[in-house]
Amino acid sequence: MTKIKNMEEFAAVSGISRPTVSKYFHDPDSVRATTRARIEEALERFDYRPNIFAVNQNRKLTKNIGIVVPYLADPFFVEIARYLEQSCIAAGYRPSLFSSHGEQKLENEILDSLRSLKPAGVLLAPLGRASDRSQIEKFCENVPTILFDSNLEGLGAAFVGSDNFSFVSQTVEYMTRTGEPPSFFEMRTPANPNANKRRKAYIEVMERHGFEPHVIKIDGEGWAFEEIGRQGAARVLERQELKTNSVLCSNDRLAIGFLSACYEQGIRVGRTADCALRVASNDGHPFARFTCPSLTTAAHDYDNVAGRSVETLFELIESGGKFSNRAETLFPARLVLRESA
């Protein structure tokens, strides 16, 4: 029989969810009697004994988990925070949700506040370009922290997020296969490092297929992406700067602004013969299916990004707050075809 080294392996072979197993080891009475019996039967069957020292150490920690996102008014972060909170609660922890609202000063203040709560761990989606890297580095040295969404290289014990190349490669390949190659529509000063990775992926995939990349940069800073996209698209359309009838937006919120500008100028968007433009994007925004026309997009794997983030944090807590090496886990996007392209 293969020796089981940790709780994650035990959960996998026993067919019991990782959060439930963790909840049992922190307090056996916190799970249902039938579930407790299954876990105890599996312990005997697989001859697994947890690291009692690590479990006892972890019991001295608070049950608080901090979840920090850059902009809670963004439905993407609301959606992923919901998944994270539910996973933490299922494992017997008390999650607290914070938003830095796009401000470095507020992000730093949230980290200071979290220190005083003595959390068992923190799930942090940093601002990215606007973050104070030195403050985050100091925080991660003292508090078990997993980064998600925005990867600040080398910070946190691990990073869990989406594969930006997967997003763009799928949308570019679809659009070039079904029509004219797209221009890439983005902010001149992106708020999030994912945008830079998407632009690089766009250029690489376009060149690989023998097309000339065409990047359109619009002015605007901050997190009001819809309005920035609407104003930027209005200028692009008025000046007729598009080289083809296809546009790929860096993210869905910019695309919503782009669609608004098209409507205001009487430009019909879609994939039918009577349409002047095709528009696609990236993220899988929760409202993307309700735009007019509904938005074709490469969608985040919300379930796996959130689930793996929480699992990795529990592993970090159980290991005493340190990993021997910083791990990065990326999940591919899923192309969702709708009426806009």
Side-chain angles (χ1 to χ4, degrees):
M1 180 184 295
T2 304
K3 182 172 177 56
I4 297 172
K5 297 185 233 134
N6 53 44
M7 288 190 203
E8 183 179 9
E9 291 183 4
F10 173 72
V13 299
S14 62
I16 301 163
S17 75
R18 174 66 178 72
T20 301
V21 169
S22 180
K23 191 175 181 182
Y24 169 85
F25 283 122
H26 281 86
D27 180 7
D29 293 330
S30 66
V31 301
R32 288 183 297 182
T34 53
T35 303
R36 186 164 64 248
R38 285 182 60 207
I39 292 173
E40 289 169 355
E41 187 273 331
L43 287 170
E44 292 302 320
R45 180 159 37 107
F46 296 108
D47 193 26
Y48 171 64
R49 294 294 177 270
N51 183 332
I52 298 301
F53 174 76
V55 171
N56 287 336
Q57 284 293 100
N58 291 337
R59 282 182 178 147
K60 296 176 184 176
L61 298 171
T62 69
K63 304 295 283 185
N64 300 321
I65 296 287
I67 301 172
V68 186
V69 298
Y71 198 69
L72 200 51
D74 187 330
F76 162 72
F77 289 112
V78 173
E79 187 75 357
I80 198 164
R82 181 173 68 85
Y83 281 90
L84 294 172
E85 284 186 314
Q86 289 175 337
S87 297
C88 291
I89 291 167
Y93 286 91
R94 295 185 296 269
S96 296
L97 179 61
F98 303 85
S99 171
S100 51
H101 298 287
E103 298 180 17
Q104 182 190 103
K105 181 175 182 292
L106 186 52
E107 183 174 72
N108 290 344
E109 289 174 356
I110 289 168
L111 298 182
D112 285 339
S113 297
L114 278 168
R115 285 191 185 92
S116 67
L117 292 175
K118 301 188 184 306
V122 168
L123 295 157
L124 170 63
L127 291 172
R129 184 182 61 84
S131 291
D132 183 337
R133 185 182 173 91
S134 64
Q135 289 298 316
I136 293 179
E137 184 174 15
K138 190 183 302 182
F139 180 83
C140 293
E141 288 172 356
N142 298 311
V143 179
T145 303
I146 303 298
L147 267 58
F148 70 97
D149 185 59
S150 294
N151 189 9
L152 298 182
E153 304 290 340
L155 299 189
F159 170 76
V160 180
S162 298
D163 181 350
N164 284 291
F165 187 88
S166 167
F167 280 87
V168 178
S169 62
Q170 291 187 66
T171 46
V172 170
E173 287 173 3
Y174 167 72
M175 296 188 84
T176 55
R177 186 175 68 250
T178 57
E180 296 182 7
S183 298
F184 189 77
F185 182 79
E186 67 166 359
M187 291 166 59
R188 191 179 307 280
T189 309
N192 188 297
N194 292 323
N196 296 322
K197 294 175 181 177
R198 291 175 184 181
R199 182 196 330 107
K200 291 176 182 176
Y202 163 78
I203 293 170
E204 180 180 335
V205 176
M206 286 284 284
E207 291 177 342
R208 180 195 300 168
H209 289 282
F211 299 111
E212 180 182 355
H214 180 221
V215 176
I216 299 171
K217 294 180 178 290
I218 60 170
D219 293 329
E221 290 192 50
W223 291 80
F225 298 153
E226 292 87 356
E227 183 58 23
I228 292 170
R230 186 187 72 82
Q231 292 183 11
R235 287 190 289 271
V236 168
L237 295 170
E238 287 165 0
R239 297 168 185 169
Q240 298 183 335
E241 294 178 4
L242 297 177
K243 292 187 175 180
T244 69
N245 69 358
S246 296
V247 179
L248 174 61
C249 297
S250 179
N251 65 63
D252 286 353
R253 292 183 60 200
L254 282 177
I256 290 171
F258 197 103
L259 292 176
S260 177
C262 289
Y263 175 79
E264 290 170 356
Q265 296 192 27
I267 298 171
R268 190 172 175 84
V269 175
R271 53 186 178 182
T272 56
D274 60 337
C275 294
L277 275 180
R278 295 188 306 154
V279 177
S281 188
N282 306 283
D283 273 344
H285 189 295
F287 299 161
R289 64 194 178 103
F290 299 115
T291 59
C292 189
S294 56
L295 185 61
T296 288
T297 182
H300 287 277
D301 187 340
Y302 288 98
D303 278 330
N304 277 322
V305 170
R308 185 59 191 149
S309 296
V310 172
E311 288 175 358
T312 306
L313 181 61
F314 290 161
E315 291 168 17
L316 180 63
I317 293 168
E318 288 158 8
S319 68
K322 301 288 182 185
F323 286 151
S324 56
N325 295 299
R326 184 180 190 268
E328 293 188 8
T329 305
L330 301 178
F331 290 95
R334 176 176 58 90
L335 185 63
V336 180
L337 299 179
R338 298 196 181 102
E339 295 305 311
S340 70

